[in-house]
Amino acid sequence: MLSIHQILEVTIVIYMTSMVLFLLRVLKGPTIFDRVIAVDALSCDLTVFMALIVLYTGRYLIAFPMALIALWAYALDLYVSKYVEFEDIGE
Amino acid sequence: MLIPILIVLIASMLSVIMAYLTVIEKDLLLATIYIAFIGILYTLIYYILLAADVVLAYIPVSSILLPIIVIIVLKKSKRLEE
């Protein structure tokens, strides 16, 4: 019978492997948009990762920053795409 | 409790690699993306060390303020470094 801690440890290792794969995509990406999407995907990945850490440690009060990352993970996409498209970001 | 220490170790090593690449990069827009990547890794490290209030302050700084300020400066100068 597996406990939830063993399942969470295996899942956390899988997420760490995906973090290294995102780093490789950021380094290798042929265009600049691949790199931006890799950083954005890492942000969305980090949201789930935070939920796993909350389940692993058992401290449920630290789960609030997940909402903030889910809100603001796309901001870098907006800035970089506006800069590449229009050469300014409309400040 | 080996898993949190391992996560902090891997995130720290990746952030060191990205910091070196940020310094040697000639295209400054790519350097901005690398800085955002470093910010995400630092967010993860703060969160593993159970500093959730620091994470709340650091997410807007690393994902909004720092890239937008650097891109504004980049618009007023040149994108490629000689």
Side-chain angles (χ1 to χ4, degrees):
Chain A
M1 184 64 188
L2 287 174
S3 67
I4 189 167
H5 276 280
Q6 293 170 338
I7 298 172
L8 284 177
E9 284 174 359
V10 173
T11 317
I12 282 171
V13 169
I14 292 172
Y15 268 88
M16 284 156 61
T17 312
S18 73
M19 198 161 66
V20 177
L21 292 177
F22 284 136
L23 175 81
L24 290 179
R25 177 51 63 192
V26 167
L27 298 186
K28 280 178 59 180
T31 65
I32 197 165
F33 300 108
D34 293 326
R35 303 172 200 255
V36 175
I37 291 296
V39 174
D40 194 29
L42 180 68
S43 300
C44 299
D45 212 13
L46 186 64
T47 309
V48 184
F49 199 88
M50 282 182 171
L52 291 176
I53 295 298
V54 167
L55 286 175
Y56 187 77
T57 56
R59 297 171 183 252
Y60 300 107
L61 288 176
I62 64 169
F64 183 68
M66 287 164 48
L68 208 61
I69 284 192
L71 280 173
W72 292 113
Y74 64 93
L76 183 74
D77 298 356
L78 295 178
Y79 300 147
V80 173
S81 58
K82 279 190 80 170
Y83 177 77
V84 172
E85 179 81 19
F86 302 113
E87 288 291 329
D88 68 343
I89 51 174
E91 72 272 12
Chain B
M1 289 300 285
L2 186 64
I3 289 283
I5 300 170
L6 201 62
I7 297 169
V8 170
L9 182 67
I10 290 179
S12 308
M13 292 303 294
L14 293 184
S15 68
V16 167
I17 295 170
M18 294 306 289
Y20 173 70
L21 290 170
T22 306
V23 171
I24 66 167
E25 183 62 53
K26 297 294 183 189
D27 190 354
L28 296 179
L29 191 60
L30 290 187
T32 309
I33 294 171
Y34 293 163
I35 286 175
F37 198 94
I38 293 172
I40 291 170
L41 292 174
Y42 285 171
T43 306
L44 180 60
I45 293 171
Y46 284 140
Y47 198 77
I48 297 293
L49 297 178
L50 297 179
D53 46 353
V54 183
V55 172
L56 282 177
Y58 191 69
I59 289 166
V61 171
S62 72
S63 70
I64 301 165
L65 284 179
L66 191 63
I68 199 169
I69 288 172
V70 173
I71 290 177
I72 286 171
V73 172
L74 199 61
K75 186 191 69 134
K76 297 183 187 303
S77 66
K78 285 186 295 185
R79 177 175 159 178
L80 288 177
E81 208 177 17
E82 287 94 12

